[in-house]
Amino acid sequence: MIRNIYLLFFLTLNTGISNPLWAHTSGRPPNRPPNILIITVDNVGYGDLSVYNKESPIITPHIEQLGLEGARLTNFYTAGATCTVSRASLMTGRIPQRHKLVDQLNGIAGNYGIGLRQSEILIPEMLKEAPTEYATGAFGKWNIGFAPGSRPTERGFDEYLGIASGNADHFSHVYAGKQDLHHNTEAINRNGEYSTDLFADAAIHFIRKNTSQAKPWFVYLPFDAPHHPGERNIGPDEENIWKAPDYAFKPYGISPDEKDPKKRFNAVVTAIDMAIGRVLNTLDSLNISENTFVFLYSDNGAFYPYLDIQSNAPLKGAGVTLWEGGIRVPALVRWPGKVKANSVIDVRLWSLDLFPACAKLSQAELPKDRFIDGKNPLPVLTQESPHSPHATLFFEYRNFAALHWGDWKIIRDEPAKAWQLYNLRDDIAETTDLAKKRIDLVEKLNGAFVQKKEEIESYLKIEDSFMSRPK
């Protein structure tokens, strides 16, 4: 009831939206490839959003509307168990063991170091080689290396506004005492402006500019919220609390001085929803909604310290683990006329698939000198195929390992421990370990895991040898 009451409120407050149904009119010139908008949110749990959990108290009418106009994916995985790894995997279409950025970048040394190998090819670099060259912009959290040669505008993006690190303060943009907000390669000071709005506004400006110039565009919009800023990023006299702009508290009828961390977290997510609404409204106002592929997902599940505030329900575990709560994430896709409106897709896909999706959408060629683990998801997203392009999904992170095959999953949290076995079709919450009852299946999935691990190790030797040759 409250959600319905505030829907109209949202559509007028800070969004400029006058028509919540986004009546799509084609803005596609002949032979022009579609625009591509990839939005990520930071550590939003599977159960945080009302489109996955009707009991969620968080008000997100624009995300709900996106689900009504597109498809909700219920079997979508992030390929990395933590923020850095997730982003590197998305941008390369390769599992961490291939691109070799296998753990979180921490501190100034990590975030301002090389990070992701500069020999890796990123989505925007591929789109620059498409038959129709794309304008490319990134606005938000980078977190994969900011040394010279590793910055967004040196890796295929025409424009960048965002933070180099993983969790700067949302208003001061300070990370570990350092000004962390950058425009292209230069540090800038926009103290007092909320990062979610900064990133959305920059994306909107980029979209308007390139649409007016009749250029197809790719926008990567990785919000740094609702990730909680670490203690080292908070000013000496400030309280380390969930921070949202004043307007995001109004739909809940509470004051910005509210102390309840759960209510404050809700406001942070609501601010993201409002920003997403403004971006989508921009597509509609420019008559380009029908010719824009929009994909929204969370980089990881909610983390353990905040599970009394957030929700991965009904999944077990949290971020930085390979339990379903860490890697199965909310995801929505909209592509009018191609993706069926108000549909649910339960076919297994993962974030690596967005790399070949961008290749197909732009008609660019996939790199031929390296293995791309992602597979084209468009036949599944458009319901031309009911089958996953993946026989298995392979995961390794720190001491964790896991493999999905069909309805089954093996997982262990220490290399020396025995595999646990779960049937995810019947037990999505991973409550009943069937390993002792189905030894045959454990052996079968273990065989696939070992084979995949050997293939990766063998392949890396070939790839490293190939890439080291003089060009």
Side-chain angles (χ1 to χ4, degrees):
M1 185 68 176
I2 292 176
R3 192 181 318 281
N4 293 334
I5 292 172
Y6 283 111
L7 177 59
L8 182 59
F9 174 86
F10 263 99
L11 299 173
T12 57
L13 179 63
N14 293 309
T15 64
I17 295 176
S18 58
N19 181 3
L21 299 180
W22 292 306
H24 300 291
T25 57
S26 178
R28 179 174 184 170
N31 302 319
R32 177 170 167 178
N35 306 304
I36 303 169
L37 172 60
I38 296 178
I39 306 171
T40 64
V41 290
D42 204 341
N43 301 345
V44 170
Y46 197 86
D48 280 332
L49 300 178
S50 59
V51 290
Y52 286 84
N53 175 15
K54 293 181 179 179
E55 302 303 315
S56 173
I58 305 176
I59 300 172
T60 54
H62 301 106
I63 292 175
E64 290 177 8
Q65 191 67 31
L66 185 62
L68 290 174
E69 295 179 338
R72 175 167 53 93
L73 281 64
T74 55
N75 207 348
F76 185 82
Y77 289 82
T78 177
T82 189
C83 301
T84 290
V85 182
S86 174
R87 284 159 171 72
S89 300
L90 165 67
M91 283 286 106
T92 62
R94 285 150 59 86
I95 60 174
Q97 289 68 34
R98 291 197 211 276
H99 62 62
K100 297 188 178 181
L101 189 50
V102 297
D103 210 340
Q104 184 68 21
L105 292 178
N106 284 311
I108 298 297
N111 282 286
Y112 285 82
I114 290 175
L116 180 65
R117 297 187 301 176
Q118 294 177 359
S119 60
E120 294 293 329
I121 296 174
L122 276 58
I123 290 174
E125 295 174 297
M126 177 178 65
L127 295 179
K128 289 300 181 184
E129 303 300 321
T132 302
E133 182 180 336
Y134 275 62
T136 55
F139 308 100
K141 173 175 171 173
W142 188 239
N143 201 206
I144 57 174
F146 213 76
S150 295
R151 296 167 292 194
T153 52
E154 298 162 331
R155 308 213 64 171
F157 285 105
D158 299 322
E159 185 176 351
Y160 172 70
L161 187 141
I163 59 171
S165 73
N167 61 335
D169 181 86
H170 296 313
F171 280 104
S172 71
H173 323 122
V174 167
Y175 177 76
K178 178 180 176 62
Q179 180 56 249
D180 196 44
L181 186 67
H182 292 77
H183 181 235
N184 297 332
T185 60
E186 300 297 322
I188 61 174
N189 190 335
R190 302 281 290 273
N191 184 48
E193 298 182 56
Y194 194 59
S195 60
T196 295
D197 292 331
L198 273 173
F199 304 152
D201 290 345
I204 289 169
H205 180 267
F206 183 87
I207 289 168
R208 288 189 179 278
K209 178 179 70 174
N210 286 285
T211 299
S212 70
Q213 297 174 4
K215 293 181 180 178
W217 48 261
F218 166 67
V219 166
Y220 173 44
L221 181 53
F223 290 110
D224 63 336
H227 195 302
H228 198 284
E231 185 63 38
R232 63 183 168 185
N233 308 325
I234 304 301
D237 298 318
E238 292 187 60
E239 185 180 2
N240 190 1
I241 56 176
W242 300 95
K243 293 183 179 180
D246 290 357
Y247 64 76
F249 293 89
K250 292 181 180 178
Y252 298 94
I254 59 178
S255 165
D257 297 326
E258 173 64 50
K259 297 299 183 183
D260 185 332
K262 170 61 178 170
K263 293 178 180 179
R264 296 194 65 87
F265 170 80
N266 295 350
V268 173
V269 179
T270 292
I272 300 171
D273 179 79
M274 297 173 82
I276 289 172
R278 289 193 291 113
V279 174
L280 296 179
N281 181 55
T282 298
L283 304 184
D284 190 53
S285 69
L286 295 172
N287 291 329
I288 57 173
S289 293
E290 283 195 357
N291 194 37
T292 302
F293 176 88
V294 179
F295 200 97
L296 165 68
Y297 78 100
S298 179
D299 68 335
N300 301 114
F303 279 32
Y304 276 123
Y306 309 114
L307 288 188
D308 58 337
I309 294 170
Q310 296 186 245
S311 173
N312 288 324
L315 309 177
K316 177 180 179 177
V320 200
T321 78
L322 296 181
W323 298 109
E324 293 292 284
I327 55 176
R328 187 187 289 217
V329 293
L332 301 169
V333 60
R334 189 186 79 179
W335 192 16
K338 307 293 193 305
V339 172
K340 184 179 178 182
N342 197 21
S343 60
V344 175
I345 297 173
D346 194 42
V347 180
R348 185 172 293 141
L349 298 170
W350 61 349
S351 55
L352 302 178
D353 298 334
L354 290 170
F355 190 98
C358 289
K360 284 291 183 181
L361 292 166
S362 66
Q363 301 178 42
E365 290 189 9
L366 288 171
K368 291 184 170 63
D369 63 345
R370 65 201 63 211
F371 191 91
I372 303 299
D373 294 281
K375 305 298 180 185
N376 177 22
L378 296 180
V380 171
L381 298 179
T382 59
Q383 298 189 4
E384 294 175 18
S385 172
H387 305 296
S388 172
H390 304 282
T392 62
L393 296 186
F394 171 94
F395 296 90
E396 276 192 312
Y397 180 69
R398 295 181 181 172
N399 291 329
F400 274 91
L403 182 123
H404 295 71
W405 189 354
D407 295 330
W408 297 92
K409 173 184 178 180
I410 52 172
I411 182 172
R412 62 190 179 204
D413 56 12
E414 293 287 347
K417 287 186 178 180
W419 289 111
Q420 298 179 43
L421 175 71
Y422 297 95
N423 185 312
L424 296 179
R425 180 193 60 198
D426 300 331
D427 183 21
I428 191 175
E430 297 172 288
T431 60
T432 306
D433 178 9
L434 299 174
K436 293 182 179 179
K437 292 183 178 179
R438 295 299 309 268
I439 297 174
D440 59 323
L441 278 178
V442 173
E443 292 177 350
K444 185 180 183 72
L445 270 69
N446 176 65
F449 181 90
V450 170
Q451 180 173 294
K452 185 66 176 179
K453 192 172 177 66
E454 291 175 348
E455 177 268 312
I456 293 167
E457 292 172 352
S458 176
Y459 175 81
L460 284 174
K461 294 178 182 178
I462 298 171
E463 183 182 86
D464 290 344
S465 174
F466 182 84
M467 288 186 173
S468 65
R469 294 177 184 174
K471 295 185 179 179

